[in-house]
Amino acid sequence: MTRVVSLYFPTWPIDRLRRAMGQSAPSAETPIVMLGRQGNRRLVLAADAAARAAGLRVGMPASKAQVLVPNLQSFDLDPAGDAEALERMALWSLRYAPIVAADPPDGLIIDTTGADHLHGGEETMLEGLVSRMASSGIEARAAVADTWGAAHACARFLARPTFVAPAGQAAAIMRGLPIGALRLPHDIVEGLLTLGFEPVGEVEAAPRASLTLRFGPELGRRLDQAMGRRSEPFEPARSPELIEVRQAFGEPIGAAETIARYTGKLVATLCEALEAKGLGARRLDLLFHRVDNRIEAIRVGTAVPVRDVKRLTRLLTDRIETVDPGFGIEVMTLAATLAEPFAAKQIISSLVEEPEPDITDLIDVLANRIGEQRLYRFAPVESDVPERSVRRIAPNAPDEGTSWPGDWPRPPRLLTNPEPIETMALLPDHPPVWFSWRGIRHRVARADGPERVFGEWWQRDAELIAVRDYFQVEDESGERFWIYRAGDGEDPGTGSHKWFLHGVYA
């Protein structure tokens, strides 16, 4: 099922103005409005939060706004500049999905069908989008639904700041929203309100013929698009510098074998173009333009720059089964939406030297199946506190040469959070005689310790005198655990003297 994300920027012109002005921009407490002309009238066309709190609203005459708020900062709206910046935002958003387009005047549309798992799921993806926009000084709301129209409406009327419409529920959600959610011209909305219509469901239940006769065909078209009864294709944003190849067909194709054959031809042509520019592909988008104007897409990524035809073809053809050709595909387009310099690498320098194993091919296969965020390896961090001594890095990241201390072995499995246990131990330096963890009692047969770990006082004041005493213990069945006591066993200021289990040995 198709899933579409709508990004809505409530104060887009003002956010863009603040970013352009940088340090000289007015503070967030200063009311700001953007002014423009509609006919002979000069109106407020955008207002920030401070201006709205002061009682200003979009559509208010500029002269009235300036009288109501004496310290008001007003600027002329720049529609061309806003539209150009929105196109740049669409190109930036290509990192999330292959099909992205501007939704003027204040939004973006992203077809994330089959791509959300690469970003941790729909909810995580939306939260990431909104937070990244906020870090750049752009207020954003995001929603995902089955159709462009439904996602557009949810982003503007339901997202706070995100909203995920359950699959198959777009029509039910749309029926409860106001008429303004249908992306209709202002005069049609006013006419419907005058007739007494309020939610979209009332418009849908009314006779279609009489509404079409009065308001024209656009009302029915927008209603069908939002409900998913009519497709609404859009042209993906593309940079002029993008390396792209295209194959058009005299007769539509649909068989998986035919698609795979032409995919290999497109990859070979693209690799020649990459080689001419000294680049390697890090991300490929393969778009299928169907005869019904819908676009299907496949996206694959690589851990390092690649222009190996067989390797890239295999990554793409492995996902052909996710493509719905419909009544046929008339155009295929392959683009390297992310390319980096391709540097030559010497494999071995002598006949007796063993070549370094290359696992990037395996990394690419796994990453494209389960998502980049779920594929990582652990690296040591210079910290005595166990939970801070590990970090996640990319699976192909270079080895920095650091390692964990070898004096005291560490368990291969650390618990996410240390879990409290019940024990009996002789303070201050003796290990427990037994301990109970998750309802199971373990009698200690052997133990080694204590290993004292001091808190990192530069991290927070509470660790100034805090200590932990760690023990490696083995129970009568041979299972080995890593437990610790919070505190030195004598001074209550060093810890609570409670016991915790922090890790399990293999």
Side-chain angles (χ1 to χ4, degrees), residues 49-93:
R52 295 194 300 270
L56 306 186
R57 58 179 176 80
V58 175
M60 177 182 289
S63 56
K64 182 178 180 179
Q66 291 167 343
V67 170
L68 290 175
V69 183
N71 64 332
L72 182 66
Q73 293 281 333
S74 60
F75 300 88
D76 289 333
L77 196 67
D78 179 15
D82 291 338
E84 183 181 350
L86 207 58
E87 288 290 340
R88 292 197 299 269
M89 289 283 291
L91 293 176
W92 174 87
S93 300

Side-chain angles (χ1 to χ4, degrees), residues 386-388 390 411-421 437-438 468 470 481-484 500-505:
E387 58 266 31
R388 296 178 187 154
V390 178
R413 179 194 170 198
L414 280 181
L415 302 184
T416 304
N417 296 301
E419 298 184 9
I421 55 177
W437 176 50
R438 296 181 179 179
R468 297 177 185 175
Y470 278 88
F481 305 90
W482 203 40
I483 64 176
Y484 74 86
F500 299 86
L501 190 145
H502 202 166
V504 179
Y505 290 91

